[in-house]
Amino acid sequence: KSGLDPGGAWHAWGMACLKAGNLNSAREKFNRCLKPPMDLNQLNHGSRLVQDVIQYLESTVKPILIADDDYFATLRELEATLRTRSLSLEMMCEGKIQHNSYYQECLFYLHSYGTNLAIINFYMRHDCMREALLHLLNKESPSEVFIEGIFIPSYESGKLHMLENLLETIDPGLESWGVYLIAACKYLQRKNYYHILYELQQFMKDHVRAAMTCIRFFTHGAKSYTELGGKQTWLLKIKDHLKVYLQEVSRSSGRKKMAFSFRKKMSATDVSRHINTVDLQMEVTKFLHQCESSGTSQMTDSSLPTLFGNNDMKMDVACKVILEGKNIEEGFGIAFRVLQDFQLEATEVYSKVAKQLVKQQKYSEIRQLLKCVNESGVAAKNDGDNIILKCLNEFKNIPAEDLDNLIQDMDSDENKIQAYMMCNKLRSAYLVSVRQEKARAVQLVQHVRQLAESSGDDVVKAICAQWL
């Protein structure tokens, strides 16, 4: 009469029936006020009213096992059990759920009015993980429901191995779990739970991704190559994963291409290239670890470069290796292989090294560097000269004797003249200029005269004028 919503009254009446143990009447009353959710896959447990019903039923469970203790069961409970047994529940959980009318009643309400997450959580609460997984598969629930309802509770309660065993039992190839497993990996990565992630990737036999996780274990948080020296087992694990992946690919190449559909794929050439990178990183690690231990290491870089970074970082590795040995020659071989393997810009690396050596005032080592570059067999004609020119461009305060030695080490007269002009050694520039072929010599001497004029060097200006 008053037009109020009768839902509350029906719910209260239903709860009263439940408390009186009249399960049949309770269903009838709740049927008038409970509605199934619009979206069964929403990430919640359905309406508050349904949750209240489940909460009450779970708290009232009596340890009644129909099979053994028939004489404890009231007629009403027997009747309810028989009725719920005939419900088309997809699966039955062994043990207490199967034999207890109150648990059966929970399942009735959950299947009628609850979300998939609520049903899965119910199974998980009562140690029925298999049923939770089968329900997830049957309903084709999205991966969020798997993460929220099954995966997080499993690893938080230390039951990850149990979950893995069940996944494998239900589908030995794991193909039907692919979407869920990849989502679990992404979730763990977001949370920075890399140890659980690595364990899961090994279970999935996803060797390429497992290798990538090992790279993170190797590089993350290390402040020195001494630290990396202690983490070299991760490099061996990377190699192991990549080798196993290669074996599996070659084994399955004759079979259907569907195998390993959710596992990360990589071409055999790429895998071989990565194995080569790992081998080289091992060499670099051993060498730099040794340098740091023997105290020859001088570079104090805040970031620690490895060959697993981008090209700039790889170039930093090459520089570090050349600079940290007892002398330039000691590390040059490894650095040269790094440059060759990754096709890096060699002259840029050599110039960087030379600049560092100028800062450290090790001018004789620059000459040793140039000797190594020339003997490497792949240097272009002017590489050595360009390295020196770049140094002179940046540093004006190199001692006179060292400066002369560096310039005299240059191959091309043109470059020597350019270097002398840059350093304002106009007399030396003039002496080399006049040795050139006549027409070119005239141009060069005119240029030297102009520079002498603008810098107020009357002596050199006069010599040039006289020669011209």
Side-chain angles (χ1 to χ4, degrees):
K1 284 180 182 176
S2 57
L4 294 173
D5 176 22
W10 285 117
H11 187 259
W13 196 351
M15 289 302 284
C17 292
L18 272 190
K19 287 169 186 172
N22 192 342
L23 304 182
N24 215 7
S25 286
R27 285 190 184 193
E28 194 190 314
K29 308 298 178 280
F30 284 129
N31 188 36
R32 295 171 181 268
C33 63
L34 298 178
K35 291 183 177 64
M38 299 289 283
D39 175 14
L40 288 174
N41 287 319
Q42 59 197 41
L43 289 181
N44 59 42
H45 295 93
S47 75
R48 184 69 253 175
L49 301 180
V50 179
Q51 291 176 53
D52 289 345
V53 172
I54 302 302
Q55 213 172 338
Y56 174 76
L57 285 168
E58 282 185 303
S59 66
T60 326
V61 167
K62 299 161 190 167
I64 292 171
L65 295 174
I66 302 299
D68 309 320
D69 305 327
D70 283 341
Y71 47 89
F72 282 133
T74 63
L75 280 170
R76 199 175 284 119
E77 283 172 330
L78 275 170
E79 184 195 345
T81 305
L82 291 168
R83 191 177 53 255
T84 51
R85 276 288 173 82
S86 64
L87 281 174
S88 60
L89 299 177
E90 294 94 337
M91 53 311 266
M92 276 295 189
C93 183
E94 289 306 310
K96 57 184 179 181
I97 288 190
Q98 189 172 353
H99 293 308
N100 192 293
S101 60
Y102 277 79
Y103 278 127
Q104 290 301 322
E105 208 61 19
C106 285
L107 285 173
F108 167 78
Y109 285 107
L110 286 167
H111 279 278
S112 305
Y113 310 109
T115 59
N116 285 327
L117 182 60
I119 296 167
I120 283 168
N121 272 4
F122 176 79
Y123 282 130
M124 292 294 285
R125 271 201 305 281
H126 299 292
D127 295 327
C128 295
M129 195 187 282
R130 180 187 169 81
E131 283 64 29
L133 287 167
L134 289 171
H135 182 84
L136 179 88
L137 268 193
N138 288 350
K139 299 295 181 189
E140 296 180 352
S141 292
S143 47
E144 292 80 11
V145 175
F146 170 72
I147 304 283
E148 199 74 30
I150 299 175
F151 186 69
I152 295 175
S154 294
Y155 78 70
E156 282 182 348
S157 59
K159 290 180 181 170
L160 193 57
H161 283 299
M162 186 177 159
L163 172 62
E164 290 172 352
N165 291 339
L166 280 170
L167 294 175
E168 218 164 15
T169 309
I170 295 168
D171 177 4
L174 298 179
E175 288 301 323
S176 44
W177 303 115
V179 178
Y180 299 118
L181 288 168
I182 294 296
C185 289
K186 286 179 180 168
Y187 166 81
L188 291 169
Q189 204 167 353
R190 277 199 309 276
K191 288 281 188 183
N192 286 333
Y193 295 163
Y194 283 94
H195 289 280
I196 304 175
L197 173 66
Y198 182 52
E199 189 186 322
L200 190 62
Q201 287 167 336
Q202 288 179 94
F203 161 72
M204 291 159 66
K205 297 185 175 59
D206 194 348
H207 294 291
V208 175
R209 287 194 180 97
M212 289 157 80
T213 306
C214 290
I215 290 175
R216 190 190 182 277
F217 283 134
F218 175 71
T219 54
H220 186 68
K223 295 278 184 285
S224 69
Y225 261 89
T226 306
E227 276 181 55
L228 286 184
K231 295 167 103 179
Q232 286 190 77
T233 46
W234 289 114
L235 293 176
L236 295 170
K237 284 184 180 179
I238 297 168
K239 271 182 78 170
D240 289 344
H241 284 300
L242 294 176
K243 282 176 178 172
V244 172
Y245 176 77
L246 276 182
Q247 286 164 6
E248 287 186 357
V249 168
S250 62
R251 270 207 302 272
S252 68
S253 56
R255 291 190 234 136
K256 277 190 281 182
K257 293 289 175 205
M258 275 306 288
F260 319 125
S261 59
F262 63 91
R263 297 168 179 97
K264 190 166 177 65
K265 293 177 187 63
M266 197 178 270
S267 70
T269 34
D270 280 350
V271 174
S272 303
R273 206 177 66 242
H274 286 305
I275 290 174
N276 190 42
T277 300
V278 174
D279 285 334
L280 204 46
Q281 180 63 53
M282 276 177 155
E283 262 190 82
V284 167
T285 307
K286 279 175 191 156
F287 177 76
L288 291 175
H289 181 194
Q290 220 172 348
C291 294
E292 285 179 6
S293 306
S294 61
T296 55
S297 170
Q298 287 128 353
M299 283 179 86
T300 49
D301 255 345
S302 49
S303 65
L304 195 65
T306 69
L307 298 178
F308 299 118
N310 57 19
N311 278 358
D312 285 344
M313 194 186 263
K314 289 177 181 123
M315 287 162 94
D316 288 344
V317 171
C319 291
K320 198 171 173 66
V321 169
I322 296 175
L323 285 165
E324 295 212 358
K326 287 198 286 287
N327 51 45
I328 293 298
E329 225 166 324
E330 192 185 21
F332 189 84
I334 297 175
F336 183 70
R337 274 180 44 216
V338 170
L339 296 174
Q340 289 291 291
D341 281 9
F342 299 107
Q343 298 178 335
L344 301 172
E345 194 53 62
T347 43
E348 200 179 317
V349 171
Y350 300 144
S351 298
K352 254 186 177 179
V353 171
K355 284 171 190 174
Q356 280 292 334
L357 292 170
V358 172
K359 278 182 188 169
Q360 295 167 12
Q361 299 183 339
K362 294 181 174 176
Y363 304 108
S364 61
E365 295 210 4
I366 297 177
R367 299 176 76 184
Q368 197 184 359
L369 172 69
L370 296 173
K371 181 171 167 281
C372 289
V373 171
N374 290 330
E375 286 171 1
S376 68
V378 292
K381 188 166 178 278
N382 281 332
D383 277 359
D385 290 8
N386 289 334
I387 292 166
I388 295 173
L389 285 171
K390 280 182 183 170
C391 276
L392 300 181
N393 203 17
E394 216 161 297
F395 301 98
K396 306 298 180 198
N397 52 355
I398 300 172
E401 191 184 336
D402 294 305
L403 187 59
D404 276 338
N405 288 339
L406 282 176
I407 296 175
Q408 275 160 28
D409 278 349
M410 293 172 108
D411 290 328
S412 136
D413 280 352
E414 289 275 348
N415 288 333
K416 281 181 184 174
I417 295 162
Q418 194 185 335
Y420 281 130
M421 286 177 181
M422 277 164 73
C423 302
N424 218 24
K425 286 180 167 287
L426 299 179
R427 188 184 177 86
S428 302
Y430 163 78
L431 290 172
V432 183
S433 298
V434 295
R435 291 206 305 266
Q436 307 310 302
E437 178 262 323
K438 202 52 159 284
R440 182 71 186 130
V442 171
Q443 288 175 330
L444 289 166
V445 173
Q446 280 173 337
H447 190 192
V448 173
R449 185 177 68 171
Q450 281 169 2
L451 287 173
E453 199 171 337
S454 56
S455 66
D457 190 336
D458 294 336
V459 178
V460 174
K461 181 183 161 189
I463 297 172
C464 291
Q466 191 182 349
W467 185 89
L468 287 166

